[in-house]
Amino acid sequence: MKRKLLLVSNSTLHGGGYLDHCEQHISSFFGQDVKTVLFVPYALHDRDAYTKTARDKFQTLGYYVESIHEAADPVDAVKKAEAIFIGGGNTFRLLKSLYDNQVVTAIRTRVLEDGVPYMGSSAGTNVATISISTTNDMPIVCPPSFAAIGLVPFNINPHYLDPDPNSRHMGETREQRITQYHEESNTPSVLGLREGSMLLVEGNKATLLGTTKARLFTRGKPSKEYDPGSDLSFLLKDDVDQREGSRM
C-alpha cells in the first residue's frame, strides 16, 4: 500500500497561529517534490476565506495551494492533485460535501493506489478514518452516510480532552462517549489525539508525532497511553490482514 498520511489533531495550538505547531512536520511530509497542494475547504462555510488562510500559510512553506471549490470539476482536480490537504471545521458538513461532489472514492484511490500524500487536520483527520462517528461536532447537516474515506482501518477522535477532576460539568467525558461508541460498533480501535499530536502513516507503518500523548481505546480492553515517537503500526494490521487474505 502506497499511502502517505499526516493526520493532525488540530490546526491551531494555543499560543500559536494556523498550523504553526506542525509546520516542520508539514515540510518534511510533503518534501521538495510536491509543488502544489489541493486544499479542500468544505468543512467551513466561507470557503474563499478559508482557502486564503491555507494558501497564505502554505506559501510561507514553499507550496502553492489550489482549492477544490474553485475547480470546474472537483473529481478531475483530485485526479490531477500532487497532494491533498483537507482542513478542519464541521465534520458533518465536510463529509456531506465530499459525497455531494463525488470525490470520496477519487480521494481514496489517489491516496491508497497512487500514493498521493494526504494531510488532514481535525475534521480532515476524521474523514480519513473508517467513519465520522467519533467526531466531536454537531450534525448541522446530514451526509448520506457516516462512512468516511477509509484511509486507515480505525477511528480517530481529534482534540481528545481529558476529564477535568475540578470541573462541575456533569455531562459525559470524552472517554465515556467513546465507550458508548464501542457498545454499538465493531470498529476495534479509536485513537484519541490530544491537541498538539499527529499521526504519520507511511505504508503499513504508523508513528505518533507531536508534543502530547495519545490515548488508545480498544473495544473490550482498558485504554492505553502512548508517548510521542511511539510505533502504532499495529493499528494498521486489519489492512494487512485483508490484503493477505485477498491473495489466498
Side-chain angles (χ1 to χ4, degrees):
M1 188 173 293
K2 297 180 179 180
R3 67 184 158 197
K4 184 179 179 182
L5 319 173
L6 183 64
L7 305 178
V8 184
S9 176
N10 53 299
S11 301
T12 305
L13 191 64
H14 178 72
Y18 182 69
L19 298 177
D20 284 353
H21 69 290
C22 57
E23 60 181 15
Q24 292 183 347
H25 292 293
I26 295 172
S27 295
S28 176
F29 178 70
F30 288 126
Q32 297 181 350
D33 292 336
V34 170
K35 305 299 181 185
T36 302
V37 176
L38 180 66
F39 179 53
V40 181
Y42 292 159
L44 291 186
H45 178 71
D46 191 341
R47 295 173 179 178
D48 290 337
Y50 198 10
T51 296
K52 185 180 186 307
T53 297
R55 186 169 280 150
D56 289 348
K57 180 61 182 182
F58 273 78
Q59 186 176 13
T60 68
L61 302 177
Y63 304 103
Y64 178 72
V65 163
E66 293 180 346
S67 181
I68 196 170
H69 87 287
E70 297 171 342
D73 184 340
V75 174
D76 187 60
V78 171
K79 289 181 178 180
K80 294 178 179 177
E82 293 181 55
I84 298 169
F85 169 43
I86 301 186
N90 185 278
T91 307
F92 293 91
R93 174 161 49 198
L94 169 59
L95 188 59
K96 183 178 185 300
S97 295
L98 291 173
Y99 276 113
D100 288 348
N101 288 281
Q102 301 179 336
V103 294
V104 172
T105 300
I107 293 173
R108 182 187 302 118
T109 299
R110 291 290 282 146
V111 175
L112 297 186
E113 297 183 14
D114 300 337
V116 168
Y118 175 102
M119 176 183 166
S121 65
S122 191
T125 289
N126 270 321
V127 297
T129 66
I130 291 178
S131 77
I132 64 167
S133 297
T134 54
T135 181
N136 305 314
D137 298 331
M138 292 184 180
I140 60 173
V141 294
C142 187
S145 171
F146 287 173
I149 301 172
L151 305 180
V152 293
F154 55 91
N155 268 14
I156 291 177
N157 177 242
H159 306 276
Y160 177 75
L161 196 62
D162 294 294
D164 180 359
N166 298 315
S167 174
R168 296 183 180 182
H169 176 67
M170 298 303 294
E172 292 98 331
T173 65
R174 197 68 55 81
E175 182 166 0
Q176 288 171 326
R177 291 186 184 277
I178 294 174
T179 298
Q180 292 168 357
Y181 167 74
H182 271 144
E183 292 169 350
E184 301 291 340
S185 172
N186 290 325
T187 302
S189 300
V190 177
L191 184 64
L193 287 180
R194 294 182 176 89
E195 293 192 345
S197 66
M198 63 204 80
L199 188 70
L200 175 66
V201 178
E202 299 169 299
N204 295 316
K205 181 176 176 58
T207 307
L208 183 67
L209 304 178
T211 57
T212 54
K213 295 181 179 182
R215 191 170 187 86
L216 180 66
F217 300 88
T218 304
R219 184 182 172 97
K221 297 180 181 180
S223 59
K224 187 174 181 180
E225 291 282 335
Y226 288 91
D227 293 317
S230 294
D231 184 349
L232 301 182
S233 302
F234 63 90
L235 292 174
L236 304 171
K237 185 176 183 297
D238 285 352
D239 279 348
V240 176
D241 290 346
Q242 289 173 13
R243 290 203 313 283
E244 289 180 348
S246 66
R247 297 192 191 106
M248 297 176 64

